[in-house]
Amino acid sequence: MSSHAKLKTWGGGMVLAAAAVLAAPPSGTAPCLELPTTSASDGAAEPAYVEGQVLVRFKPQTGALVRAAALAALESRFLRRLARLDVYVVAIPPGETVEAMVEAYRRNPDVEFAEPNFLLRVSATPNDTLFQYQYALSNTGQTIGSLPGSPKGQARADIRAMAGWEESKGRPEVVIAVVDTGVDLTHPDLKNKVLNSGRDFVNNDFDASDDHGHGSMVAGIAAAETNNGEGIAGVAWLSKVLPLKAMDSTGTGSTDKVAEAIRYAADNGAQVVNLSLGTDQPSQTLRDACKYASEKGVFIAAAAGNKGTAVHYPAAYDPYVFAVAATDYNDARADFSNIGSEVDAAAPGVRILAPYPLALTPAGYLPYAYGDGTSFATAHVSGMAALVRSLKPGLSPGQVMNILRYSADDVNAATYKDRDEFVGYGRVNLEKAIVPLLLKK
Amino acid sequence: MIALRRNRAPAAALALFLSFASGLRPGFGQEPESAKPWKPVLGLEYHSRTIAWDEKARSSTLGSAFLTAGVERRLVRGWSVTVFVGASLSNWNGLVFRTLPFSVEYQAGFGPGFLAGATTEATLARLGSWDIGFAARFLASLGASRSLDLAGLNETGTVEVRGTWLRLEAGPVLIYRGLPAFSPYVKLGVDRLWGRCLMDEKIRDLSGSEEKSVSGKGWVSARGGFHWELGPSWGWSFEASVLPFKKTSGGLGLDLGAALRAMVSL
């Protein structure tokens, strides 16, 4: 077992070179913007209205002086008037509650109505322009891509992201460390999501820029900036990404660099580590790094591998690592996905749209690419783990693993009922993982 | 959509309270001349109450039905105390447990429990045809542990649920005694409810426990009703109540209630 065994990015080297060609729609043909629909959000932590403000409408016959006197009597400050609606936006005195002031205004016979300045929220349908191609998040049976011949998916062969987002969109404090080829720190879907410029273990500096593309794709799938009106949606809308470059520009990295990056992630606040890489050679160094991170409370997801053979390492390091297989847009196992009892679950990993480094994008193309591989399946799982940890910060890595396992959809139950070595417990399901289960008789 | 909470309709409560005693002395009825100091009482009641939880950010409705048996003791003229025990059914539907490994929303309806409580009533003054008094009631429901299957997961899961709640009502009573066999009354008083619901979750090696503290919304209820003596040995009464509370989304909500009682004297 060599601590310098070469690890490959799963979904990167071979897939990007062959299949993940930049098939994103050329500039000027981007999909129309999806306007937000209504929200059912009622989160406990989200305020229901603007603090310190009340909306007031006086009865039509009330004169200007009386209106001014009414505001003054309640020590309110006029902010502005919605002219066509004849509604005043007023600031209430410091120390007063909105509820009390609304009641006070309602008691005034000259007031037609008074109410809090309620907050409206966008729905959990993101407005990212390429979201319609992300079948992995929401599969309606749409065509996946804008080019002729693009495949169509089977409705609901997805991770139920939209339902899950109604429950949580993540928290910035939950950091996903992406141990990979780096992350494009300037990409419009990533630049605001990276925690900092990261750590480059290949060149031994603190600029983990991506010179390959794989790491940016993985980071974007897990946590691209979402609802920003462009690009794609990430699974964990609000989580941050810690870029850790342990793989070089060919998509290859040594065990010592990867192990060092895993330890770095665990020591620098990451709660989730994404390892879309692997080798068929076991390594005690790598295993120990995974053990170290897991025992520090870090959830680790790793790609099972893309050769249709036995599960690679570090994915095979039970119980420290969650091994992810790949399914496609029909919920069928991808034929390249590795096999073994270590597979915990599967996630979409075929024709996955993801951010691609600006510097590597040919002219005339959007900086997004389609890719295949268990790498990209793993990124979905990492995003989900970040959402679970955002909601339930007290859970151990093992508990998070079990939540993802037990909530998965057994998509190949017709041939392999229950857990199997192809898709583990099944394709992960964010809705079942985090939305409250209904307890009935 | 505005992040408004659903405008919960005021909960309607309907109660049937049966009591039988060797010498009938209904709570706010005419004072019998020869009341016995001890009287058995049997009661059946239902009420619902809007409850707040998660630091009052969320709300649902607690429904409860109970059957009780007890005894009333006259301490001095115009002052009585009743203690009772019985079986209760509590419905915690809508309560969501979000810190369990798998979040769970309780929708399993009524669960059984044990109920105990006490009532005291006292006449403080009589002004013409009006009696001014004081009434208070304390209820405690201890839910039995209930095991339920957690469906929809790849592994068999179960949860154990048990809920407890306490309710205290206390305040003045004004009773009109000017009509034969018919005594209308009004009450205004503090009406508080506190509770806890514990859920243990177990799915193979995944387990967790969460205790949810709840409190009734609103502090003061107003009640109005009447007692009607239909004969020397039986009567009935009706009571309606309104309990205002501040809704989480702003504005005022109302819990409405009604109670129907029939009393038999043995």
Side-chain angles (χ1 to χ4, degrees):
Chain A
M1 291 185 289
S2 166
S3 64
H4 293 274
K6 292 293 184 183
L7 288 90
K8 284 282 188 185
T9 48
W10 288 134
M14 32 319 238
V15 176
L16 270 181
V21 230
L22 301 175
S27 299
T29 61
C32 294
L33 186 131
E34 296 274 350
L35 290 176
T37 54
T38 56
S39 169
S41 173
D42 193 9
E46 295 176 329
Y49 46 74
V50 178
E51 288 294 341
Q53 289 186 8
V54 170
L55 303 181
V56 181
R57 180 194 278 169
F58 291 95
K59 291 177 179 170
Q61 66 274 19
T62 308
L65 287 177
V66 175
R67 295 180 183 208
L71 298 184
L74 291 173
E75 301 177 23
S76 301
R77 185 162 52 86
F78 170 81
L79 294 177
R80 64 196 183 95
R81 177 171 171 264
L82 310 180
R84 291 178 187 276
L85 300 173
D86 195 23
V87 171
Y88 291 81
V89 184
V90 300
I92 64 176
E96 289 290 346
T97 65
V98 168
E99 291 89 346
M101 292 301 289
V102 165
E103 289 306 311
Y105 273 109
R106 285 175 178 168
R107 285 195 293 270
N108 185 333
D110 293 323
V111 169
E112 187 172 309
F113 69 77
E115 62 188 10
N117 194 1
F118 289 111
L119 291 169
L120 290 81
R121 297 189 172 88
V122 298
S123 88
T125 304
N127 62 11
D128 303 83
T129 51
L130 302 177
F131 178 67
Q132 62 180 294
Y133 302 125
Q134 292 185 271
Y135 80 87
L137 305 181
S138 176
N139 195 341
T140 59
Q142 74 269 44
T143 301
I144 307 162
S146 60
L147 299 179
S150 298
K152 279 192 171 185
Q154 172 188 311
R156 298 181 66 80
D158 56 42
I159 67 167
R160 307 286 192 279
M162 290 172 64
W165 289 334
E166 295 287 352
E167 186 69 11
S168 174
K169 299 178 181 70
R171 287 192 298 125
E173 302 79 35
V174 177
V175 175
I176 304 170
V178 176
V179 178
D180 213 288
T181 60
V183 174
D184 182 357
L185 306 175
T186 64
H187 194 287
D189 254 352
L190 296 169
K191 63 184 179 185
N192 296 324
K193 296 304 299 290
V194 290
L195 186 66
N196 51 44
S197 59
R199 178 83 170 88
D200 182 346
F201 295 93
V202 176
N203 302 299
N204 194 26
D205 58 31
F206 288 89
D207 180 2
S209 291
D210 188 3
D211 52 8
H212 178 276
H214 185 271
S216 299
M217 295 181 74
V218 166
I221 293 163
E225 186 165 6
T226 304
N227 215 39
N228 59 339
E230 64 176 316
I232 67 158
V235 176
W237 288 29
L238 303 178
S239 291
K240 291 283 189 180
V241 169
L242 175 61
L244 298 176
K245 182 173 174 59
M247 316 297 276
D248 62 20
S249 61
T250 68
T252 306
S254 60
T255 297
D256 64 320
K257 298 283 193 299
V258 173
E260 201 176 356
I262 294 169
R263 282 193 66 123
Y264 183 92
D267 291 341
N268 286 274
Q271 295 192 35
V272 175
V273 169
N274 188 97
L275 299 174
S276 292
L277 44 80
T279 172
D280 57 3
Q281 297 299 313
S283 158
Q284 191 64 43
T285 303
L286 195 54
R287 181 186 178 87
D288 286 351
C290 293
K291 181 172 185 284
Y292 174 83
S294 180
E295 289 176 350
K296 288 199 78 169
V298 178
F299 172 92
I300 306 170
N306 298 335
K307 292 187 171 178
T309 58
V311 174
H312 281 186
Y313 305 94
Y317 289 138
D318 286 338
Y320 313 115
V321 181
F322 191 92
V324 186
T327 51
D328 67 8
Y329 36 78
N330 294 316
D331 260 346
R333 170 186 162 265
D335 55 9
F336 56 75
S337 186
N338 283 5
I339 302 161
S341 61
E342 302 91 346
V343 171
D344 291 291
V350 174
R351 200 165 173 76
I352 303 299
L353 185 60
Y356 200 71
L358 299 174
L360 303 178
T361 302
Y365 287 86
L366 294 175
Y368 295 88
Y370 288 99
D372 297 348
T374 51
S375 284
F376 308 128
T378 303
H380 287 108
V381 169
S382 292
M384 285 179 60
L387 294 181
V388 173
R389 303 211 97 170
S390 296
L391 268 180
K392 304 168 193 285
L395 295 182
S396 69
Q399 288 177 306
V400 177
M401 288 183 187
N402 280 340
I403 288 172
L404 298 179
R405 289 172 184 139
Y406 300 164
S407 59
D409 290 332
D410 191 1
V411 292
N412 63 351
T415 47
Y416 301 100
K417 191 163 171 53
D418 300 327
R419 185 177 186 176
D420 59 71
E421 57 186 4
F422 300 102
V423 296
Y425 276 93
R427 190 252 306 121
V428 289
N429 183 324
L430 181 61
E431 179 181 9
K432 280 162 68 177
I434 64 174
V435 174
L437 302 170
L438 292 184
L439 180 66
K440 297 190 172 179
K441 284 183 199 170
Chain B
M1 181 191 302
I2 294 176
L4 283 171
R5 289 183 184 283
R6 185 161 54 87
N7 192 354
R8 187 178 299 281
L14 180 63
L16 180 64
F17 191 94
L18 294 165
S19 67
F20 58 90
S22 56
L24 175 68
R25 196 198 67 77
F28 304 113
Q30 299 284 358
E31 193 74 24
E33 291 300 321
S34 57
K36 294 180 180 177
W38 293 93
K39 290 185 291 185
V41 177
L42 186 68
L44 177 66
E45 189 167 340
Y46 174 81
H47 68 77
S48 67
R49 182 75 180 267
T50 302
I51 54 174
W53 34 278
D54 281 359
E55 298 180 345
K56 300 189 178 179
R58 296 172 190 272
S59 60
S60 57
T61 302
L62 169 65
S64 185
F66 41 90
L67 177 67
T68 59
V71 63
E72 181 184 286
R73 167 71 169 162
R74 178 82 54 80
L75 299 177
V76 295
R77 183 176 179 82
W79 181 24
S80 65
V81 172
T82 305
V83 293
F84 48 86
V85 295
S88 65
L89 289 170
S90 296
N91 184 342
W92 298 86
N93 277 8
L95 199 58
V96 183
F97 298 79
R98 280 194 162 82
T99 64
L100 294 171
F102 276 102
S103 301
V104 172
E105 178 177 339
Y106 184 90
Q107 287 291 349
F110 286 96
F114 168 79
L115 184 127
T119 301
T120 184
E121 300 162 3
T123 300
L124 303 177
R126 181 160 290 176
L127 300 173
S129 298
W130 296 89
D131 278 2
I132 300 172
F134 175 83
R137 184 166 78 149
F138 174 76
L139 295 171
S141 170
L142 308 174
S145 184
R146 193 175 178 206
S147 181
L148 296 158
D149 290 337
L150 203 52
L153 301 175
N154 288 322
E155 298 288 352
T156 303
T158 57
V159 295
E160 299 273 344
V161 193
R162 52 192 180 279
T164 299
W165 54 263
L166 310 173
R167 187 168 186 175
L168 177 66
E169 308 154 22
V173 188
L174 184 63
I175 311 168
Y176 182 66
R177 304 282 192 194
L179 299 171
F182 185 80
S183 306
Y185 63 86
V186 292
K187 301 180 195 174
L188 182 70
V190 170
D191 191 333
R192 297 294 294 139
L193 183 143
W194 305 269
R196 287 182 175 181
C197 191
L198 179 69
M199 186 176 283
D200 295 319
E201 185 178 76
K202 175 78 174 165
I203 307 154
R204 276 195 63 175
D205 48 350
L206 188 63
S207 62
S209 183
E210 181 176 352
E211 186 175 87
K212 187 75 74 183
S213 293
V214 308
S215 60
K217 287 201 159 197
W219 284 75
V220 176
S221 64
R223 295 163 186 267
F226 58 84
H227 180 79
W228 194 356
E229 301 275 1
L230 295 175
S233 61
W234 74 289
W236 66 283
S237 68
F238 174 78
E239 181 178 287
S241 66
V242 58
L243 191 151
F245 63 89
K246 189 182 294 180
K247 291 195 285 190
T248 308
S249 57
L252 196 65
L254 292 176
D255 272 347
L256 299 179
L260 187 65
R261 292 171 183 158
M263 283 143 285
V264 179
S265 175
L266 300 177

